[in-house]
Amino acid sequence: MITTTCTGEQTVTDQHAEPTDEPEYGPGPWWGDLGTWGAVGLIAFGGVAAAWVFLRLPGTPQNLAIGYYHAAKIIAIGLVIAGSALLGRRRTGATTAEETAGAELP
């Protein structure tokens, strides 16, 4: 492959840029890399937000249902992340247990 630099020099590289069939996705959602402890933090934050709305502290919306809705969304995202993380650990542990059991057999 021949490339031209900004000064006009041409260079030859050994790298071949082959197109792939895999689509390129943008960055994932903001909660994609939180992990188990991040999920616990989201659940706790959602609980605090719900308590804030319940006690009608400053900053609570006029319509209380909106505040509860937003708190429930935060808790739900935390629960899904926690469940996914725990399920992933369980699958990894099951795979490891199967590999060790298979290695012990003659």
Side-chain angles (χ1 to χ4, degrees), residues 27-39 42 81:
W30 59 268
W31 63 81
D33 295 327
L34 289 179
T36 307
W37 288 111
L42 279 178
I81 294 170

Side-chain angles (χ1 to χ4, degrees), residues 22-93:
E22 297 178 17
E24 294 183 21
Y25 298 105
W30 59 268
W31 63 81
D33 295 327
L34 289 179
T36 307
W37 288 111
V40 170
L42 279 178
I43 295 167
F45 180 73
V48 168
W52 191 279
V53 172
F54 179 75
L55 296 174
R56 297 182 182 171
L57 295 175
T60 302
Q62 292 290 332
N63 187 357
L64 296 179
I66 292 173
Y68 288 126
Y69 170 73
H70 289 298
K73 278 194 328 185
I74 294 170
I75 292 171
I77 291 171
L79 288 172
V80 168
I81 294 170
S84 299
L86 295 175
L87 185 61
R89 284 185 184 177
R90 183 174 179 183
R91 287 184 181 169
T92 304

Side-chain angles (χ1 to χ4, degrees), residues 2-3 11 19 21 25 41 60 62 67 76 86 92 94 98 100:
I2 298 175
T3 58
T11 59
D21 294 334
Y25 298 105
T60 302
Q62 292 290 332
L86 295 175
T92 304
E98 289 174 3
T100 56

